[in-house]
Amino acid sequence: MDGVLNRCSTIPMKVFDQKFRLLALLVLSTLVTMGSASAQDHQGPPENKGASSASDSRPAKILFEEANSYVDQKFRDFNKRGLAYDRKLEAKTKQEQKDMAAKYAAALQARASLTNTDVYYLGMLDHLAGNGDAALETMRGFLKTEGTGEFFQNARAVVVLYATRKNLIPEAERAVEDYAQNQPQNLIEWFGMETLIAEALKKGNDYPRMSAHAEEMLKVAKLLASTNKYNSFRRDDMLFKAASFLSEAYVHLNKKEAAIAIVGDLRKMAVSLPSGNLLRLANIVLAGLDHTVDLRGIFNEPAPATAGPLPEIVVTQWIDQAPVKLSELRGHVVLLDFWAPWCPPCRYTLPRLQKWNESYKDKGLVILGLTQYFGAADGHRATHGEELAYLRAFKKQNRLPYGFAVADTGINELNYGVFTIPMSFLIDRRGNVRFIAFGADESEIGALEKMLRTVVDERTTPTDTKSAAATGKN
């Protein structure tokens, strides 16, 4: 099912957190400028308005915010100046931030007295400076006041980080337990804390306690998945990591059946989300736990009576298909085929898609060929207009009767966890994903065709579906 020769890699899609977006812009600038910069071109951190570290009387909050934003501000400046990315420059900038944070921490420590808020910012400056021992000790003192709110939650996260590094696991466990009982909660932060503790317990072969924290990891990952506030790449990474940790702990505890059940649940979630990449990863783990398992067996299980909403497809240009939303196709059987004209395995599947369209279109089958602009056509650079003309000609030459949907980004691939092509998602009339096909292997295509026949012949009642949008040509 997963042979490398039967799949093409898509153009890499990079997903950045907010704090890395400026770095992404910096890297991008190397593609559009011919200039270069070395570390020697860069000026160091600005002097603090003539004040020495010991005499800097600015509020603790101002000191922390200046140090915390230093790297982002410098990256903005580098990008504005059109400087090319330089690893040494990046490392130098980050070291300057640490030096600034250490200087400001010293300035706070030199003061005769500190408010509790000042103590918090001192702990954060120690953390930013990489002074783990000082950060841990300072945040311990801050948390003795037993307050509530964001500062206390952040302090607990710092304690977990440095307590686990010093193998003070009970202290880290108390901190994360307090975090779970208070607000506000950053799910990614919470997940990270549970992961640090689980990793530390794994190193110590303490699998009973490791399993408890892996269970918390999975709980938090599922909470995050239910919010739909985070990109699917991060969501899938957290779900997979949590399930992998938990199944590994169960195996060491001689609970192999429980381990298999955890991975089985992950596979079901991957289908319902849906995410092809998460299903692929879960399949690898399951095959390792039980080499006799039929990985396609999950698609033979009864489909839910009702389906949740699937990610809408984002389309810039339709070819031989009237614009339509996926939600408007309830009542139809839909086959989303992720492909590209430069992908040989994708081309190999096209005659089958043509055949299926002719055989089942009168029974309600709608095939949508999803692709995106790649900046090339037939091996040559191309504008969007030239790519569209190429796709239209390609479609006509290959006598493909179904519609193409072209996006100007990889958002559809991201939303459906498509990181290799071809990959197809078969959706029944109720809106349930009934099969995810990986690659162009004959056995995979045959399994997809078998499920397609099953789904097309299924009967539904009027209450099962909504009216489908009419399709046509544009």
Side-chain angles (χ1 to χ4, degrees), residues 39 60 105 112 126 190 212 220 247 319 338 359 376 381 452 459:
D126 286 331
W190 186 2
V220 176
S247 63
I319 298 178
F338 288 86
S359 298
R381 288 186 179 182
L452 175 60
R459 293 179 177 271

Side-chain angles (χ1 to χ4, degrees), residues 335 347-363 365 367 398-402 442 445-446 448-450 452-453 456:
L335 183 63
R347 292 190 178 210
Y348 180 78
T349 65
L350 297 180
R352 294 290 187 93
L353 295 174
Q354 179 189 47
K355 172 188 171 184
W356 296 340
N357 185 84
E358 293 301 324
S359 298
Y360 302 118
K361 64 180 181 180
D362 292 338
K363 293 186 177 182
L365 174 64
I367 300 177
N398 289 276
R399 299 179 181 179
L400 300 176
Y402 55 87
E442 277 296 330
I445 297 174
L448 172 58
E449 183 171 16
K450 181 179 178 181
L452 175 60
R453 289 196 298 266
V456 165

Side-chain angles (χ1 to χ4, degrees), residues 166-188:
K166 296 171 72 70
N167 204 34
L168 302 173
I169 307 304
E171 181 177 6
E173 289 180 315
R174 289 193 297 271
V176 77
E177 183 178 351
D178 289 342
Y179 189 96
Q181 295 175 355
N182 285 276
Q183 294 291 337
Q185 292 172 347
N186 181 308
L187 295 179
I188 293 175

Side-chain angles (χ1 to χ4, degrees), residues 101-121:
K103 182 169 67 173
Y104 289 170
L108 288 181
Q109 289 171 331
R111 296 180 183 178
S113 62
L114 297 175
T115 67
N116 201 44
T117 300
D118 291 341
V119 172
Y120 167 76
Y121 284 119

Side-chain angles (χ1 to χ4, degrees), residues 235-404:
R235 175 202 68 199
D236 290 356
D237 181 64
M238 291 173 65
L239 288 167
F240 177 70
K241 189 169 188 176
S244 297
F245 267 51
L246 186 53
S247 63
E248 182 179 359
Y250 283 163
V251 167
H252 284 283
L253 294 171
N254 296 317
K255 298 180 178 179
K256 186 175 179 179
E257 291 303 318
I260 291 174
I262 287 295
V263 180
D265 289 342
L266 182 66
R267 295 174 75 227
K268 292 178 181 178
M269 183 176 293
V271 174
S272 65
L273 285 172
S275 171
N277 187 56
L278 184 59
L279 179 60
R280 178 182 64 85
L281 293 172
N283 283 347
I284 293 171
V285 176
L286 183 58
L289 291 170
D290 182 0
H291 68 276
T292 67
V293 69
D294 176 10
L295 296 178
R296 298 192 186 107
I298 188 174
F299 300 118
N300 296 324
E301 298 179 6
T306 59
L310 295 173
E312 281 292 353
I313 54 175
V314 180
V315 182
T316 304
Q317 180 67 47
W318 294 91
I319 298 178
D320 294 341
Q321 167 67 52
V324 64
K325 293 182 178 179
L326 190 59
S327 58
E328 295 171 344
L329 291 175
R330 291 287 178 95
H332 287 284
V333 174
V334 180
L335 183 63
L336 299 180
D337 180 58
F338 288 86
W339 77 293
W342 49 260
C343 167
C346 298
R347 292 190 178 210
Y348 180 78
T349 65
L350 297 180
R352 294 290 187 93
L353 295 174
Q354 179 189 47
K355 172 188 171 184
W356 296 340
N357 185 84
E358 293 301 324
S359 298
Y360 302 118
K361 64 180 181 180
D362 292 338
K363 293 186 177 182
L365 174 64
V366 175
I367 300 177
L368 297 177
L370 273 61
T371 189
Q372 60 176 295
Y373 292 115
F374 293 101
D378 201 21
H380 304 285
R381 288 186 179 182
T383 64
H384 286 187
E386 291 168 338
E387 278 195 78
L388 284 174
Y390 173 74
L391 284 170
R392 291 182 188 278
F394 180 92
K395 188 174 185 298
K396 184 176 181 180
Q397 291 167 3
N398 289 276
R399 299 179 181 179
L400 300 176
Y402 55 87
F404 287 0

